[in-house]
């Protein structure tokens, strides 16, 4: 089939590369406009655009898919199907109707669970043991279209959002290609999503990423993993922001008694923090404006006093 791929961030790259290696012909790529990045805030192309340019593919970067010039460009390519992975903009009905087989979205959850922008983060935040990826036909609603295919993935105890998303992006690329193969062969039937089990996964904000030390240790651990690497879990120490990349619940056998929520206790090699129920051990932290370091090294440099804590 003639394919126009839509996607923007790094997790969309494995799908584009898999399509380029498939029996289908990628005739164009749609991605978000170049965006400021880095300390200099210079404009940079999306990871998907970088791959497309490297492969010599036509690229469109409309401010919004409803733009008339973009719609004309897409029609000129006569796509049979438009696979989409984390494109980052809602596609209006006139554009959905252009390809013969519609737009096939690869979403990183088992729909109808975790519809929205941050399915992987919410799966970790809520303690899911199993997640996966779904291919479905895009509609105007938020991830509501009929399902074409699924795959499952176990959530590992130490998974961060970055770890889990990387695995889903790689495995999901194979699911996307298999879905397009089946569409081309006429061997797949879209199945409506069930009306039960629906949950939403809105974008994780910086405020969502602030650690709530009054929560139990397992919930603190989930929040840190869900927000790593982005936007980054954080707390306050001596009036400045401190990012936390690891906060592991301490086994009950380890005697760390009498810590209030947020209270620190430092040994030669370990840093413990009290929570609403239980204790966590900090792994890697990053003081504001500085590099990430082991928590014990940070504590040694900060010369933490007895009774100090995190907020």
């Amino acid at each position: 089939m003639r394919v126009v791929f839509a996607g923007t961030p790094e997790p969309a790259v494995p799908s584009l590369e898999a399509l380029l290696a498939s029996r289908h012909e990628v005739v164009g790529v749609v991605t978000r406009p170049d965006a400021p990045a880095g300390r200099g805030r210079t404009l940079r192309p999306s990871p998907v655009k970088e791959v497309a340019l490297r492969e010599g593919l036509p690229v469109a970067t409309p401010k919004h898919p409803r733009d008339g010039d973009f719609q004309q460009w897409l029609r000129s390519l006569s796509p049979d199907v438009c696979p989409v992975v984390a494109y980052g903009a809602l596609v209006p009905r006139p554009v959905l109707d252009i390809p013969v087989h519609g737009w096939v979205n690869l979403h990183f959850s088992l729909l109808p669970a975790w519809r929205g922008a941050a399915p992987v983060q919410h799966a970790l935040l809520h303690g899911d043991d199993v997640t996966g990826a779904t291919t479905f036909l895009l509609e105007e609603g938020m991830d509501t279209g009929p399902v074409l295919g699924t795959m499952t993935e176990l959530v590992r105890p130490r998974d961060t959002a970055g770890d889990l998303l990387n695995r889903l992006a790689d495995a999901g690329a194979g699911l996307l290609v298999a879905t397009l193969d089946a569409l081309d062969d006429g061997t797949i039937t879209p199945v409506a999503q069930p009306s039960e089990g629906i949950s939403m996964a809105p974008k994780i904000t910086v405020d969502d990423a602030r650690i709530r030390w009054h929560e139990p240790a397992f919930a603190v651990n989930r929040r840190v993993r869900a927000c790593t690497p982005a936007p980054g879990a954080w707390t306050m120490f001596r009036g400045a922001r401190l990012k936390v990349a690891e906060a592991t619940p301490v086994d009950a056998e380890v005697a760390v008694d009498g810590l209030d929520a947020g209270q620190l206790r430092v040994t030669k090699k370990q840093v413990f923090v009290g929570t609403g129920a239980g204790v966590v051990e900090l792994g890697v932290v990053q003081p504001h404006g500085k590099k990430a370091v082991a928590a014990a090294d940070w504590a040694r440099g900060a010369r933490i006093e007895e009774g100090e804590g995190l907020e």
Side-chain angles (χ1 to χ4, degrees), residues 195-208:
S195 57
E196 298 178 353
I198 297 170
S199 52
M200 303 306 294
K203 182 179 178 181
I204 298 290
T205 66
V206 172
D207 185 60
D208 293 330

Side-chain angles (χ1 to χ4, degrees), residues 90-253:
L90 293 176
V91 182
R93 171 54 58 188
V95 182
L96 290 174
D97 291 339
I98 292 174
V100 176
H101 294 287
W103 291 61
V104 176
N105 195 354
L106 172 65
H107 183 75
F108 299 121
S109 79
L110 295 174
L111 291 172
W114 305 129
R115 293 174 175 172
V120 173
Q121 291 91 332
H122 281 274
L124 290 174
L125 190 61
H126 291 82
D128 291 359
D129 294 320
V130 178
T131 186
T134 303
T135 50
F136 68 98
L137 290 174
L138 206 61
E139 297 180 339
E140 290 179 280
M142 178 63 74
D143 301 329
T144 58
V147 170
L148 297 169
T150 61
M151 56 147 289
T152 59
E153 177 72 27
L154 292 177
V155 179
R156 300 171 187 172
R158 298 183 68 87
D159 270 341
T160 65
D163 297 331
L164 186 52
L165 184 55
N166 285 340
R167 294 206 307 277
L168 289 172
D170 289 339
L175 173 64
L176 183 61
V177 171
T179 299
L180 264 60
D181 289 349
L183 274 176
D184 190 26
D185 295 339
T187 58
I188 197 167
T189 301
V191 178
Q193 292 186 35
S195 57
E196 298 178 353
I198 297 170
S199 52
M200 303 306 294
K203 182 179 178 181
I204 298 290
T205 66
V206 172
D207 185 60
D208 293 330
R210 183 169 187 172
I211 298 170
R212 283 79 160 152
W213 295 110
H214 64 273
E215 293 182 337
F218 73 84
V220 169
N221 171 261
R222 288 178 183 175
R223 188 174 301 276
V224 171
R225 291 190 296 121
C227 297
T228 301
W234 61 279
T235 185
M236 296 295 290
F237 176 70
R238 294 177 183 170
R241 188 172 294 190
L242 177 74
K243 280 193 172 183
V244 177
E246 295 176 41
T248 306
V250 172
D251 291 337
E253 292 80 10

Side-chain angles (χ1 to χ4, degrees), residues 3 5 14-24 26 83 176-177 180:
V3 169
F5 179 82
S15 288
L16 175 55
E17 292 178 335
L19 286 166
L20 287 167
S22 74
R23 75 195 201 196
H24 308 288
V26 181
L176 183 61
V177 171
L180 264 60

Side-chain angles (χ1 to χ4, degrees), residues 293-306:
V293 295
D297 295 336
W298 162 76
R300 196 160 33 249
R303 297 182 180 180
I304 294 170
E305 298 177 3
E306 185 70 26

Side-chain angles (χ1 to χ4, degrees), residues 31-117:
T31 189
R32 299 297 293 153
D34 295 1
R39 290 191 174 183
R41 308 307 290 166
T42 55
L43 287 178
R44 292 183 184 175
S46 73
V48 164
K49 183 178 178 180
E50 289 181 343
V51 174
L53 294 177
R54 185 187 72 208
E55 298 293 330
L57 297 170
V59 180
T61 57
K63 290 183 178 180
H64 193 281
R66 65 171 172 262
D67 292 349
D69 289 344
F70 165 68
Q71 293 189 38
Q72 185 176 356
W73 176 85
L74 185 60
R75 285 192 183 92
S76 73
L77 294 176
S78 301
D80 293 308
V81 66
C82 290
V84 53
V85 183
Y87 169 47
L90 293 176
V91 182
R93 171 54 58 188
V95 182
L96 290 174
D97 291 339
I98 292 174
V100 176
H101 294 287
W103 291 61
V104 176
N105 195 354
L106 172 65
H107 183 75
F108 299 121
S109 79
L110 295 174
L111 291 172
W114 305 129
R115 293 174 175 172

Side-chain angles (χ1 to χ4, degrees), residues 8 15 263:
T8 298
S15 288
Q263 185 180 353

